[in-house]
Amino acid sequence: MSLLVTRVTNATIARVAARTAQLRVVDGPDRGMELDLPAAGVVIGTDKACDVELTDSFVSRRHCSIIPTAQGFAISDLGSRNGTVIDGVAVGKVVAPPGVAIRIGKTLLQLMPADEVVDIPPSASDKFGALYGSSIAMRQVFAILERAAKSSAPVLILGESGTGKELMARGVHDASPRKDGPFVVFDCGASTETLIESDLFGHVKGAFTGSAGDRQGAFAAAHGGTLFLDEIGDLPVSLQPKLLRMLEAGEVVPVGARKPEKYDVRIVAATHRDVFGEVSRGGFRGDLYYRLAVVEIHVPPLRQRTGDLARLVAAFLERAGAPQLASQVGGAALERLERYHWPGNVRELRNVVTRAVALAGPDDDFQSIPIVLRPTSAAPDEGSAFRADRPFHAAKDELVARFEKEYLQDLVQRAGGNLSQAARIAGLERKFLYKLLERAGLRTKGTADDEASD
């Protein structure tokens, strides 16, 4: 069994690196144990003859077996005294999806699929939908979006706030066979926890106090089209099994209803959160993550694609009603923009340009329009990292990104470029380290080769 995860890296040549399926002990006496699952599977128990020997006294001598298959993981209880439990239900023999968590005794196991990491050559186009980017990083993103748009496979877009994730989702919809169907946006972080289930799945009359009639949810509204789940990382854990059911069976049960409703919906999800890290920490269901991330795209922040700034600035000048300035972009003013860190990414650039045009005088040219940037190099005692002059998530993202990049640069240097050694030094899983390096723009062909040889 393998999962195809398409990722953007700094390499420009297609590459495939395969990794075997893994079993991970996430809780219990043997917490931290990891092993690759062979094609023949394993028997788990406390007996020394078992393939996976645990020390948990609540686990039977031969407790269960697990075999990776094309459909998922075939799990069989071997007559254990305390049972093999998935989502609170004891199972005898079942095929479970990737990322599933299994409770045996006091031990919690998680099954992770094999990944086939595919790097796709950059697109020949510097546009995708309403997005522009001539840099290699963005043309790699466009190449993946172009291919993903032709299918109905779920897409997971990961990137900082302001990088254009919703525009990418809209572009995928507009370039897909579903383009004539609805495109519905649902912000998982904007709805209250008490109402989000109704907002997503709908409810029937009398489902709860105040429900005077039936209500259509986001899935029903998106039937025949695309549902964009923004900030999927904010979706409550209690609702994640219901979303997983929709992805697997194409049906949901409205709040208060007894019968499921079937919908034909293509899911595109996005978040600025580190979802893979949340899976490792138990804050996001692994099986849902792997079901969403059939195509996974990492969007580079603006500071990693400054070569696109001139064209973006010109486009925003035209939108702001100053086309005469668009042809003047360059010089010291552009160099100043290229040196800026852009914590708010393209959204911040648009706001900066729009404000500059609004405040410009009739005789101003591009070099003299009032471009106002937030200071990013204040002295440490001024508390520059914690100023509340911008949204909380944007400030936090900037601080975390700065820490990660500096930490990872030192880590890779200490490990001599060997990512397996770097993962051991940092106490991180290799998969998680690869994702951190990608996000920080530090995953080079050298690190890719290291991964392929692991």
Side-chain angles (χ1 to χ4, degrees):
M1 179 208 62
S2 66
L3 175 76
L4 179 62
V5 180
T6 310
R7 297 193 180 97
V8 178
T9 72
N10 294 329
T12 59
I13 300 175
R15 174 182 59 85
V16 175
R19 293 194 290 269
T20 57
Q22 283 192 326
L23 180 149
R24 177 192 306 156
V25 180
V26 296
D27 195 18
D30 301 290
R31 181 177 180 179
M33 178 190 293
E34 290 184 13
L35 57 94
D36 293 339
L37 286 175
V42 294
V43 173
I44 303 173
T46 56
D47 194 298
K48 292 185 180 297
C50 289
D51 303 301
V52 181
E53 182 186 355
L54 300 177
T55 60
D56 184 352
S57 60
F58 290 85
V59 171
S60 298
R61 295 179 69 249
R62 286 174 53 86
H63 198 106
C64 65
S65 67
I66 299 174
I67 302 173
T69 72
Q71 292 75 38
F73 293 92
I75 303 167
S76 300
D77 185 82
L78 302 178
S80 66
R81 64 180 184 273
N82 291 320
T84 300
V85 179
I86 298 176
D87 287 340
V89 178
V91 298
K93 192 169 185 178
V94 68
V95 176
V100 69
I102 306 167
R103 174 71 66 179
I104 59 173
K106 293 189 174 181
T107 297
L108 186 65
L109 309 172
Q110 190 165 42
L111 302 177
M112 315 300 284
D115 288 356
E116 294 177 43
V117 181
V118 180
D119 292 333
I120 298 176
S123 170
S125 175
D126 59 5
K127 292 182 180 179
F128 182 80
L131 296 160
Y132 167 78
S134 60
S135 61
I136 290 294
M138 284 306 291
R139 289 194 292 115
Q140 285 178 317
V141 169
F142 294 166
I144 298 170
L145 292 171
E146 289 164 359
R147 298 190 184 196
K150 299 175 183 177
S151 74
S152 289
V155 176
L156 180 61
I157 305 173
L158 304 176
E160 296 178 10
S161 298
T163 50
K165 298 188 290 294
E166 183 173 338
L167 290 177
M168 291 183 184
R170 165 62 82 171
V172 167
H173 172 77
D174 290 343
S176 76
R178 296 171 176 264
K179 62 183 178 180
D180 295 326
F183 177 75
V184 177
V185 178
F186 184 86
D187 190 338
C188 298
S191 184
T192 64
E193 189 166 350
T194 54
L195 293 178
I196 188 171
E197 183 174 8
S198 172
D199 292 340
L200 260 179
F201 307 117
H203 67 252
V204 298
K205 181 179 179 180
F208 49 84
T209 303
S211 55
D214 294 352
R215 182 187 177 188
Q216 186 183 65
F219 277 98
H223 181 61
T226 302
L227 176 60
F228 175 51
L229 296 175
D230 197 12
E231 293 305 339
I232 188 67
D234 292 338
L235 185 70
V237 175
S238 60
L239 291 185
Q240 292 177 19
K242 204 164 184 178
L243 177 57
L244 181 63
R245 178 180 176 83
M246 173 64 206
L247 287 165
E248 293 182 339
E251 60 183 31
V252 298
V253 180
V255 179
R258 294 185 178 181
K259 295 182 179 180
E261 299 284 348
K262 280 194 169 289
Y263 299 115
D264 174 23
V265 177
R266 198 255 181 96
I267 299 294
V268 179
T271 183
H272 74 282
R273 292 182 180 273
D274 175 15
V275 183
F276 191 83
E278 289 298 321
V279 170
S280 301
R281 293 186 287 270
F284 197 88
R285 287 181 63 112
D287 46 4
L288 177 58
Y289 164 76
Y290 283 107
R291 194 64 182 81
L292 288 169
V294 175
V295 179
E296 179 179 311
I297 299 172
H298 295 254
V299 187
L302 184 56
R303 61 183 171 274
Q304 291 179 10
R305 44 178 293 226
T306 53
D308 293 333
L309 265 172
R311 175 68 181 272
L312 290 170
V313 170
F316 290 141
L317 286 169
E318 291 180 354
R319 290 186 197 177
Q324 73 281 5
L325 300 179
S327 61
Q328 304 173 11
V329 175
L334 178 61
E335 291 175 2
R336 181 179 172 224
L337 294 176
E338 290 174 339
R339 290 193 300 269
Y340 183 58
H341 188 61
W342 297 111
N345 292 292
V346 179
R347 182 185 297 125
E348 183 181 8
L349 174 63
R350 179 196 62 199
N351 293 341
V352 166
V353 173
T354 303
R355 181 171 57 243
V357 171
L359 299 177
D363 298 325
D364 279 331
D365 60 11
F366 180 69
Q367 300 302 321
S368 60
I369 59 174
I371 295 176
V372 180
L373 303 176
R374 291 195 298 261
T376 58
S377 57
D381 59 0
E382 296 180 36
S384 60
F386 305 103
R387 293 192 317 276
D389 59 349
R390 57 196 187 278
F392 172 81
H393 287 305
K396 181 181 178 182
D397 288 347
E398 179 186 1
L399 183 62
V400 171
R402 194 183 311 165
F403 157 75
E404 287 183 355
K405 186 166 187 177
E406 293 179 4
Y407 177 89
L408 293 170
Q409 284 174 328
D410 185 60
L411 175 66
V412 173
Q413 183 177 7
R414 288 173 183 269
N418 185 309
L419 296 194
S420 296
Q421 176 65 13
R424 286 190 287 271
I425 293 172
L428 299 172
E429 296 176 14
R430 285 178 300 167
K431 290 183 183 179
F432 187 34
L433 177 60
Y434 299 150
K435 285 177 177 286
L436 290 176
L437 289 167
E438 286 173 357
R439 188 168 63 197
L442 300 176
R443 190 126 178 253
T444 65
K445 190 173 189 306
T447 60
D449 290 341
D450 175 82
E451 174 188 347
S453 64
D454 282 348

